[in-house]
Amino acid sequence: MAHRGSITASVQDWFFIAISYGHDQTTRLVLELDGRVDHPRLVRALGLLFEVEPIARSRLVEGFFRAVWEPREDLEPSAACLLLSSSDPVRDVHDYMVAPIDPRRDPVVQVRVFRSTRDTVCVKVSHVAMDGSGLKQFVQKLTILYRGIGPDARQPTLPPVAVERRQSTALQSFSFGTRLRTFLTQPFHEKRWRFPFLAGTPSEITFSERTSVITVLQLREAARARGATITDAILTAFVRAIFEETETPAHVPLPFTVAVDLRRFVSDQSILGMCNLSSLSWIELVHDPGASIENTLAEVHDRLGAALADAPGIGLAMVMEITSVLGYRLFVAGNHLRIRMAQREGREFPSLSNIGPIDNRLFDFGNTRITRARFYGPVIYPPTFYIVAGSFENSLYFTISYPGNLVPGNLAEAILDRTVAELDCLRFAPQP
């Protein structure tokens, strides 16, 4: 049975509203197919998913002390899942992705099928409603329902309604002492990296991606031979790109942030609805000019391993929990001020998020297969710099989303190029 009442917005929902000065609050997933989807069946699947994931059919309503998600009775699934004829799907997908979602007015989940000789499916969601992992789970559930309906239009079995969205569900795994310690040791004041940027209103929105030559299997073998993991290698490539393409002080610890999915700390994830449960872990790495990729990889392995073994992401989650006592409006205003200060100072933490695999085993449309998949994070406004890593089948890729008018020259593209080049170096670098 559908959940018809309002749902309390979580503190992470507050946070992603609050940092709207820093990015456009919208994430995107682009799936290129080798054939065509059954659009009426996809619309019906989305309507069924609206019933069991009520956030997707809600709008954010803001109060002074709290915000809630209220169900929209005016939103039909056919209005949120459109079929569009396209003579140039690449151009049309880009133009569609440029427009951000305002969760107070727009559908927080939007599906577009761009049809030429084959279909390209673009799913766009508000980050205020769900994070990247939430988007992946949403699309996976959508394809399960799509297959369940089948060509005979039968009624599939619906999963139970889940509305648990609080990050406190993940925090329960940790003692009060651990939570307090991680809260007190957050390194917000240690911003040492300056991303050069230009003044102005964000425009010329750019979505770029690069695919590495080294495959997932090759990278796993290369990393394992050096006592490291794929995640270690991906972060190493990004770190070296930042060191080489931007001005970073030598022999000074530079904090990087790595996205952490707090779902890992929820023992029964079936209770979770679509939500934001993302956080950050800080890792300090030293720019040693001339260091080999082997040395950087070894340092990243040690530092990242230590960070992930020590309640990763819990400190930032605790900051949100504690400051949420201020109430919604003051919480949002305080974070607006923090972002304005970062923009005036021009300093932030370079950040990486590994969204993981997207493939036909996860997103199975049944009658057609995905030939290419790319995840794009929110359009980030400088001085923040954020890059997404992911994989499709056996290929690794990186994406960035940014306003071209605020980034000098081709700096963002140079960092992306260098990241892929560094990763591909692991195919040839000598093993210890």
Side-chain angles (χ1 to χ4, degrees):
M1 181 177 294
H3 180 93
R4 296 299 182 187
S6 62
I7 301 171
T8 301
S10 72
V11 66
Q12 287 217 7
D13 300 344
W14 297 11
F15 180 74
F16 285 106
I17 277 286
I19 62 174
S20 60
Y21 283 174
H23 67 64
D24 76 346
Q25 309 175 5
T26 306
T27 58
R28 297 95 169 158
L29 179 62
V30 180
L31 306 173
E32 298 177 13
L33 308 179
D34 65 1
R36 293 181 170 182
V37 297
D38 182 335
H39 180 253
R41 193 189 341 169
L42 188 62
V43 170
R44 185 180 169 200
L46 182 61
L48 293 174
L49 195 48
F50 277 172
E51 298 298 306
V52 297
E53 292 291 350
I55 287 295
R57 198 176 191 170
S58 300
R59 65 163 56 89
L60 186 73
V61 178
E62 300 166 293
F64 187 84
F65 289 106
R66 71 183 192 129
V68 298
W69 294 99
E70 288 191 351
R72 293 183 56 165
E73 300 301 333
D74 63 328
L75 179 62
E76 295 299 325
S78 58
C81 181
L82 301 181
L83 174 64
L84 304 171
S85 178
S86 174
S87 60
D88 188 345
V90 173
R91 177 202 62 204
D92 292 341
V93 167
H94 174 273
D95 292 346
Y96 172 63
M97 290 201 300
V98 164
I101 294 175
D102 186 335
R104 292 158 289 207
R105 292 183 289 272
D106 304 326
V108 298
V109 175
Q110 302 175 17
V111 181
R112 298 292 183 270
V113 180
F114 295 92
R115 176 155 293 173
S116 57
T117 55
R118 297 173 295 179
D119 285 350
T120 299
V121 177
C122 181
V123 183
K124 193 165 65 174
V125 304
S126 169
H127 206 328
V128 181
M130 66 187 79
D131 54 22
S133 293
L135 170 55
K136 288 177 62 177
Q137 291 175 9
F138 187 90
V139 176
Q140 187 174 3
K141 288 185 176 182
L142 180 65
T143 58
I144 289 172
L145 289 170
Y146 177 87
R147 297 195 308 274
I149 293 171
D152 55 1
R154 63 183 180 273
Q155 176 71 16
T157 301
L158 298 182
V161 178
V163 295
E164 177 58 70
R165 310 181 71 255
R166 298 170 298 169
Q167 66 174 14
S168 58
T169 306
L171 295 174
Q172 292 171 0
S173 301
F174 298 90
S175 68
F176 174 77
T178 297
R179 283 180 273 171
L180 180 61
R181 175 180 59 80
T182 57
F183 165 74
L184 294 174
T185 55
Q186 292 299 284
F188 292 126
H189 61 288
E190 297 181 358
K191 297 177 181 177
R192 306 187 187 100
W193 182 69
R194 186 183 297 277
F195 183 85
F197 66 99
L198 308 174
T201 302
S203 64
E204 300 176 21
I205 303 305
T206 303
F207 301 98
S208 290
E209 65 92 7
R210 302 289 190 279
T211 302
S212 67
V213 174
I214 192 170
T215 66
V216 173
L217 293 178
Q218 289 171 338
L219 183 60
R220 180 179 292 115
E221 293 174 358
R224 185 179 296 160
R226 296 163 174 84
T229 67
I230 286 182
T231 303
D232 294 335
I234 291 172
L235 180 56
T236 294
F238 176 58
V239 167
R240 289 175 65 85
I242 291 295
F243 285 161
E244 295 301 323
E245 298 297 335
T246 67
E247 294 184 7
T248 55
H251 309 296
V252 174
L254 180 67
F256 289 78
T257 63
V258 177
V260 176
D261 187 355
L262 297 180
R263 290 170 181 80
R264 66 173 68 190
F265 303 125
V266 179
S267 57
D268 180 10
Q269 295 189 20
S270 67
I271 68 173
L272 297 174
M274 296 298 100
C275 60
N276 285 299
L277 273 181
S278 57
S279 190
L280 297 174
S281 187
W282 277 261
I283 301 156
E284 283 195 338
L285 298 161
V286 175
H287 180 197
D288 181 9
S292 69
I293 192 170
E294 304 286 337
N295 290 339
T296 309
L297 179 60
E299 182 184 10
V300 167
H301 174 72
D302 291 342
R303 297 297 178 90
L304 182 59
L308 295 181
D310 186 22
I314 299 303
L316 179 58
M318 284 299 299
V319 171
M320 294 187 203
E321 290 290 315
I322 291 172
T323 55
S324 68
V325 300
L326 297 171
Y328 176 76
R329 292 292 182 182
L330 291 179
F331 179 94
V332 170
N335 276 282
H336 279 175
L337 178 61
R338 179 183 63 82
I339 292 168
R340 291 301 194 197
M341 291 176 60
Q343 290 174 339
R344 285 197 299 269
E345 295 172 358
R347 296 181 186 274
E348 260 299 351
F349 304 105
S351 185
L352 170 75
S353 177
N354 184 1
I355 196 65
I358 297 169
D359 58 36
N360 286 286
R361 293 167 297 176
L362 295 176
F363 306 152
D364 180 4
F365 286 95
N367 59 319
T368 184
R369 290 179 59 80
I370 302 168
T371 58
R372 182 179 174 86
R374 293 295 183 269
F375 181 96
Y376 294 90
V379 176
I380 298 293
Y381 309 146
T384 301
F385 188 83
Y386 167 76
I387 190 169
V388 172
S391 66
F392 172 70
E393 301 296 356
N394 195 30
S395 66
L396 287 151
Y397 67 88
F398 295 88
T399 66
I400 51 174
S401 311
Y402 65 96
N405 69 312
L406 302 186
V407 178
N410 68 337
L411 180 58
E413 302 293 330
I415 294 173
L416 195 61
D417 285 334
R418 187 61 178 253
T419 301
V420 173
E422 292 287 346
L423 194 68
D424 287 337
C425 281
L426 286 173
R427 292 187 305 154
F428 308 110
Q431 298 180 18

